[in-house]
Amino acid sequence: MNYDLIIVGGGPAGAAAAVYAGRKQLKTLLITDNFGGQSLVSNGIENWIGTLSITGYDLARALENHVRAQEMVELSPAERVSGIQKTAEGFIVSTDQAHQYQGRAVLVTSGGRRRRLGVSGENEFDGRGVVFCSTCDAPFFRNKVVAVVGAGNAGLEAVVDLFPYATKIYLLNRRAELKGDPLTQGLVEKSEKVTIIHQVVVTEILGNQVVKSVKYKHQDTDQIEELPVDGVFIEIGSIPNSEFLQGVVELNELGEVIIDHKTCETSVPGLFAAGDVTDEMYKQNNIAVGDAIKGTLSAYNYLLKQPG
Ligand SMILES: Cc1cc2nc3c(=O)[nH]c(=O)nc-3n(C[C@H](O)[C@H](O)[C@H](O)COP(=O)(O)OP(=O)(O)OC[C@H]3O[C@@H](n4cnc5c(N)ncnc54)[C@H](O)[C@@H]3O)c2cc1C
């Protein structure tokens, strides 16, 4: 076997795993196509514990430096894992660069990506009024008027996150009724700050340097309306980067890797997973890091019990 541990992904979870694996003297390979993960695009992360504020870019550089300081960790920073195969000795990890690596254990931290509306203005104003993480960015919308798109649990929670900050919140709902847990739904419905607009789909996000308005279409009449807003929170779910794990480990109906939350073990012995790619309820940097450390220590204990 070439490596004791192969880590898939270079987000906060993968970086944390690499640092802990290095310090445990595991011969480690980290394979990723980008460093820093999803919050790389963020202008200000204000809940990275021990740091008042850091940009996604600076966080990514700090994580990468910490990984590169580990003598036992090799980096493959420009390829994507395309498949994982269990063998008698461990695993063969294949990549889109037609490489194959052998590892005694694997920790998957390939994270996720936010589901997008696919409308004009969404990419252009990403980070300039278009928001994909309300827990992260609600405090930036103090005294602002915002629209939240999506009325499932994530959308409802975004509205609640915005209560202390926004002066007015429009909740744009595709369906005729809300679809979230009754408690959060009750909070949203009774708030005087909130106007719920049912059965509409967003057609365009407009602005200049920053978001100025959002256009939506009534599904029953096709009538288009424009709402002046300072921010558009898009909360229509996230997609785990788990395509290469189909048929390899047990996934839930959302495609998230099902793990034992004490150990980060998956349904396959020797294959661990942590962070946003898993069925962890809260998708946050600090949580991804903590879980990845758990997964690395579990992998270490697993390896101690394996021959060779
Ligand atoms: C815009 C935005 C802002 C955010 N702001 C905050 C914040 O302020 N505070 C906070 O706590 N959380 C924030 N989050 C959430 C936070 O970014 C995630 O919870 C965190 O990044 C999860 O870390 P992860 O390492 O599990 O996954 P990711 O960050 O998704 O990293 C996954 C890594 O795996 C790589 N990868 C994916 N597929 C493959 C593959 N097949 N092969 C190899 N590599 C692969 C990716 O390129 C990436 O490097 C934000 C999210 C977004 C979208």
Side-chain angles (χ1 to χ4, degrees), residues 9-10 13 32-34 37-38 47 81 110-111 136 276 283-285:
T32 189
D33 60 343
N34 121 326
Q38 291 168 70
N47 55 8
V81 168
S110 51
C136 322
D276 279 20
K283 314 289 197 212
Q284 288 284 283
N285 285 320

Side-chain angles (χ1 to χ4, degrees), residues 156 163 178 182 184-192 194 196 198:
L156 296 176
F163 279 168
L178 300 182
T184 323
Q185 202 168 306
L187 289 173
V188 169
E189 281 169 331
K190 73 171 191 263
S191 167
E192 288 178 357
V194 179
I196 305 173
H198 290 295

Side-chain angles (χ1 to χ4, degrees), residues 30-42:
L30 187 152
I31 306 171
T32 189
D33 60 343
N34 121 326
F35 238 96
Q38 291 168 70
S39 40
L40 185 60
V41 294
S42 183

Side-chain angles (χ1 to χ4, degrees), residues 20 24 35 178 222 237 278 299:
Y20 270 68
K24 285 287 186 194
F35 238 96
L178 300 182
D222 280 353
T278 72

Side-chain angles (χ1 to χ4, degrees), residues 56-116:
Y57 179 82
D58 286 344
L59 176 63
R61 294 292 72 81
L63 294 173
E64 184 171 355
N65 288 341
H66 207 170
V67 171
R68 287 192 186 274
Q70 309 306 314
E71 278 176 14
M72 294 293 286
V73 179
E74 268 176 55
L75 258 183
S76 177
E79 60 181 336
R80 282 181 79 79
V81 168
S82 51
I84 297 181
Q85 194 193 330
K86 176 101 176 105
T87 63
E89 300 83 29
F91 299 89
I92 294 174
V93 176
S94 313
T95 74
D96 61 358
Q97 306 295 312
H99 291 138
Q100 289 201 324
Y101 302 100
Q102 294 183 55
R104 295 169 63 212
V106 173
L107 173 62
V108 175
T109 65
S110 51
R113 53 195 190 271
R114 298 291 155 134
R115 200 180 289 281
R116 291 186 167 244

